[in-house]
Amino acid sequence: MALCYAFCMTARILDGIKIRDEIFAELKMEVTQLAAQGVRPGLAAALVGENPASQMYVKSKVAACEQLGMASWLHTPAANSTTEYLLQLVDDLNRDDNVDGILVQLPLPAQVDSKRVLEAVSPAKDVDGFHPVNMGMLVSNRPGLVACTPAGCMEILRRNHIAIEGANAVVLGRSDIVGKPMALLLLHANATVTICHSKSRDLPEIIRGADILVAAIGRAGFVHADWIKPSAAVIDVGTNKVTDRAQAERLLINFPQRLEKFSAKGSVLIGDVHPDAVNTAAALTPVPGGVGPMTITMLMSNTVKAARLRRLSGKLHTTSVAR
């Protein structure tokens, strides 16, 4: 096996960090242009309680706003906040004309009705793209704000000149946040789309037929390298933290340097696609450094877009569908 990997071709790496930097440069220019028209895009984040992971995510989003010259506001309600309190906060942000995007960081505490809070966000300020109105707009291929991770996956494909029209695309995963909107975006780009999941029959054969595979199932190394055909482009959405030594050794047997880092740190991030796929696919997003950086990038893009649509055109349905 080791000899095989020494001579196999290595996939072209689809670098999400590089694309993030390209889009950030474009967004900086657009923010400058909007400022000349008296508009400064602004994102308001609500972080309930003191979840360390959530604090880190929100901090990175606020930092991205600062980097782009956008306004940002951080609201930190107590962990014992009620649904009614958060609904009032969202209502206040909906009414604030300086706020273009509203981000309610998940998860919310158990006593809060998350669905009610998220659905209270104005669709025009729903920069996460989760609101049923924006989901419905995507289904009917009408303008709206699109969920950030799928939108970022589309940017990776387009900016790497991977042919989408006419391609057989397989989306592994059916979540409202990634799988379903991803399938719709590919369908609207004229791909032939199959949605599958862990219960689908003959999964290996379905995936072997994919020109484009988007893996978003949340299981480390679930997609075996030999399920992927040599001409396929693989978008690995998974970011799974592996802490078990035996599992890490199984997944990283052909990557001694990564295994060495696991030994030093005690954990490693593994995508939904087995790391060995780098030797079978034609193109592949790395984990980390692939899809991850694109999620915050598209959140910033959605906020700028919402500012432009809401404050300059005044109507969300006046421009083309979000990428």
Side-chain angles (χ1 to χ4, degrees):
M1 181 66 73
L3 283 174
C4 170
Y5 281 94
F7 293 103
C8 284
M9 296 294 289
T10 300
R12 174 162 63 106
I13 299 302
L14 307 176
D15 187 345
I17 295 172
K18 179 183 175 184
I19 296 172
R20 175 200 65 192
D21 292 345
E22 289 176 5
I23 295 176
F24 267 32
E26 295 164 9
L27 289 174
K28 278 184 180 179
M29 290 177 61
E30 189 166 0
V31 168
T32 301
Q33 291 166 358
L34 287 170
Q37 299 175 75
V39 174
R40 187 186 185 198
L43 175 68
L47 174 60
V48 185
E50 298 181 354
N51 180 305
S54 293
Q55 288 175 327
M56 181 183 71
Y57 293 144
V58 170
K59 185 178 179 181
S60 63
K61 292 164 185 176
V62 169
C65 287
E66 292 174 358
Q67 185 178 343
L68 295 171
M70 294 162 51
S72 63
W73 301 269
L74 177 58
H75 298 269
T76 55
N80 61 358
S81 294
T82 63
T83 299
E84 288 67 29
Y85 180 89
L86 293 176
L87 287 172
Q88 184 59 57
L89 173 59
V90 168
D91 185 59
D92 292 343
L93 296 174
N94 282 338
R95 295 170 184 271
D96 187 341
D97 194 52
N98 292 314
V99 174
D100 299 295
I102 299 172
L103 168 70
V104 179
Q105 183 64 45
L106 300 176
L108 292 173
Q111 78 276 6
V112 175
D113 187 334
S114 298
K115 186 171 286 190
R116 279 185 69 197
V117 172
L118 291 174
E119 291 184 1
V121 175
S122 165
K125 298 188 178 188
D126 167 41
V127 286
D128 268 330
F130 296 163
H131 197 283
V133 168
N134 282 323
M135 285 288 288
M137 300 286 263
L138 178 58
V139 168
S140 58
N141 199 16
R142 294 167 65 193
L145 297 169
V146 178
C148 300
T149 299
C153 293
M154 293 300 288
E155 289 290 344
I156 290 173
L157 290 170
R158 288 190 173 119
R159 290 175 185 251
N160 281 285
H161 308 291
I162 290 167
I164 302 173
E165 186 169 348
N168 289 322
V170 171
V171 177
L172 177 58
R174 51 184 167 176
S175 72
D176 292 340
I177 294 171
V178 181
K180 290 174 186 174
M182 187 75 238
L184 288 164
L185 287 169
L186 287 164
L187 187 64
H188 296 328
N190 297 318
T192 301
V193 183
T194 302
I195 306 174
C196 52
H197 44 82
S198 60
K199 302 295 189 297
S200 297
R201 295 176 182 173
D202 302 321
L203 253 182
E205 287 309 307
I206 295 172
I207 291 172
R208 285 187 183 110
D211 301 309
I212 297 170
L213 169 66
V214 181
I217 202 167
R219 293 170 64 177
F222 179 83
V223 177
H224 295 201
D226 64 2
W227 296 4
I228 298 165
K229 69 179 181 181
S231 59
V234 177
I235 306 295
D236 192 346
V237 179
T239 307
N240 308 289
K241 188 176 182 180
V242 172
T243 56
D244 178 71
R245 176 81 196 184
Q247 185 183 16
E249 286 178 347
R250 284 197 304 273
L251 292 167
L252 299 174
I253 188 171
N254 293 300
F255 303 89
Q257 289 184 329
R258 292 188 69 188
L259 197 53
E260 200 173 299
K261 288 181 181 177
F262 168 85
S263 299
K265 191 178 177 183
S267 66
V268 65
L269 292 178
I270 301 287
D272 291 348
V273 178
H274 196 289
D276 287 350
V278 74
N279 294 302
T280 56
L284 174 72
T285 56
V287 177
V291 174
M294 295 302 299
T295 300
I296 290 180
T297 302
M298 300 317 293
L299 178 71
M300 297 298 108
S301 179
N302 273 351
T303 303
V304 173
K305 179 182 180 181
R308 184 178 68 248
L309 295 175
R310 200 178 58 82
R311 291 204 256 175
L312 294 182
S313 69
K315 296 181 181 179
L316 192 60
H317 58 268
T318 55
T319 66
S320 60
V321 174
R323 291 177 297 181

